[in-house]
Amino acid sequence: MSLGYSKEFNDATRPGYDPDAAESAMRRQKDAQEIEGQQAFQRQLSGASADAGELSRGPGAARQIAEDTARDGEKERKERTDRAVLLDTLNSAQEFADRRAADAAALEDVFEARFGDAWREEIALRVMDADDIPERRPGESIEDYRERLTDELIEQIIDPETGQIRPEYANDPEMSEYAEWALARHQEREARAYIERRSDPNLTPEEQRTIDEKFAATATGNEIRQAAQEAARDGENVNEIERETDSRNDNVTQQASLEAGANSFG
């Protein structure tokens, strides 16, 4: 960038101005221009040096970028697989819950045809002691009472520790039908509760693992897993998760082979 002429230089070069003053102003203007030119040249040298430094770091930077990209790619693949596994698990749980709800509803139709709309009260008389049957509360609607009675019946028939029908109901010809209904409703509720808890986007990885492990240890979780395995064996569950898992295993095998080959020449 060139300097503009100073006011002193312009004044000194006006006609009739002192010649000595004009010469001094012209000399100072020239010196200033030379200084500006040197500064510009130094800036160019500094820029070239910086560019050279960037170029000298190029190969290392390229390797770092490649490594970062590989790590990011692996992370994205893992996250994609984890999401797919979760979605598949939740989908299996949803299908199981819907199926068990349908099983329970079919039995409820049978009970209603046999006992009328008071079928819960009739079952309670058969599976519970009279003193244990909950009474309807003042102001409680019949719908709310029967929902509460349903909870009591399920708790009475299903062992909460095992998630299975208590032996005294499973082995009784009459009671077994009521027990199958209670089990269907119990498993439906467990599956839906798991879906709701596991779908929380604010869960930490540790909380996710805890929920998964606890549910997997239940009879309901085990039944869902077995159903999914049977569907896979029947060819109904060949999905992206299996393809991604196979691809990842292939990559691990190939990498191990490459490392073994490299070590053999070491």
Side-chain angles (χ1 to χ4, degrees):
M1 179 181 68
S2 61
L3 289 172
Y5 292 111
S6 66
K7 182 177 183 300
E8 179 189 17
F9 178 83
N10 290 332
D11 290 343
T13 54
R14 288 203 309 269
Y17 199 80
D18 184 1
D20 292 337
E23 182 179 355
S24 296
M26 292 177 67
R27 186 168 51 254
R28 283 192 292 274
Q29 179 72 21
K30 183 178 180 181
D31 291 343
Q33 289 175 336
E34 289 178 352
I35 291 172
E36 175 65 19
Q38 291 174 356
Q39 290 175 340
F41 181 65
Q42 289 296 329
R43 285 195 296 271
Q44 290 176 350
L45 289 178
S46 298
S49 176
D51 291 342
E54 290 296 327
L55 289 173
S56 67
R57 291 194 297 270
R63 284 194 298 271
Q64 186 63 51
I65 290 172
E67 292 173 0
D68 291 345
T69 300
R71 281 195 297 270
D72 291 344
E74 180 61 28
K75 180 181 178 182
E76 290 175 357
R77 283 193 293 273
K78 183 180 183 304
E79 290 177 348
R80 185 172 65 250
T81 301
D82 289 345
R83 286 195 299 271
V85 169
L86 174 59
L87 290 174
D88 187 69
T89 300
L90 294 179
N91 183 62
S92 296
Q94 184 66 57
E95 291 179 350
F96 178 83
D98 292 343
R99 185 169 66 253
R100 296 305 276 153
D103 294 340
L107 286 169
E108 289 167 4
D109 288 341
V110 172
F111 300 154
E112 187 168 359
R114 185 183 303 164
F115 302 122
D117 60 1
W119 60 266
R120 297 172 185 82
E121 292 92 321
E122 292 295 332
I123 292 176
L125 290 172
R126 288 163 172 76
V127 303
M128 302 173 70
D129 293 335
D131 293 340
D132 294 331
I133 298 175
E135 296 181 355
R136 186 174 174 184
R137 296 166 181 166
E140 185 178 27
S141 69
I142 189 63
E143 292 80 9
D144 289 342
Y145 169 69
R146 286 173 174 166
E147 184 64 30
R148 186 161 59 88
L149 184 56
T150 296
D151 296 341
E152 293 288 343
L153 287 169
I154 293 173
E155 186 175 342
Q156 178 74 22
I157 297 171
I158 304 301
D159 185 342
E161 295 296 324
T162 64
Q164 300 290 347
I165 300 169
R166 297 181 193 272
E168 59 267 34
Y169 301 107
N171 301 328
D172 185 288
E174 179 188 2
M175 299 296 181
S176 62
E177 192 175 32
Y178 310 140
E180 285 300 327
W181 162 79
L183 180 62
R185 283 299 180 202
H186 169 75
Q187 291 182 333
E188 176 207 355
R189 291 180 175 188
E190 268 201 327
R192 295 199 194 284
Y194 167 73
I195 293 169
E196 182 176 0
R197 290 195 302 270
R198 195 58 176 81
S199 299
D200 184 353
N202 298 316
L203 291 173
T204 65
E206 181 62 31
E207 290 171 334
Q208 292 172 354
R209 284 192 295 272
T210 299
I211 292 173
D212 289 342
E213 289 170 0
K214 286 184 176 180
F215 184 66
T218 65
T220 300
N222 184 59
E223 191 162 338
I224 291 174
R225 185 168 58 254
Q226 289 180 348
Q229 291 171 350
E230 290 175 4
R233 284 194 295 269
D234 293 339
E236 298 175 6
N237 197 31
V238 178
N239 53 34
E240 179 64 24
I241 301 169
E242 294 173 331
R243 288 192 290 270
E244 180 64 28
T245 301
D246 291 343
S247 175
R248 185 164 56 183
N249 290 338
D250 289 343
N251 289 336
V252 171
T253 302
Q254 292 173 3
Q255 183 63 30
S257 298
L258 290 173
E259 291 177 356
N263 292 335
S264 66
F265 291 101

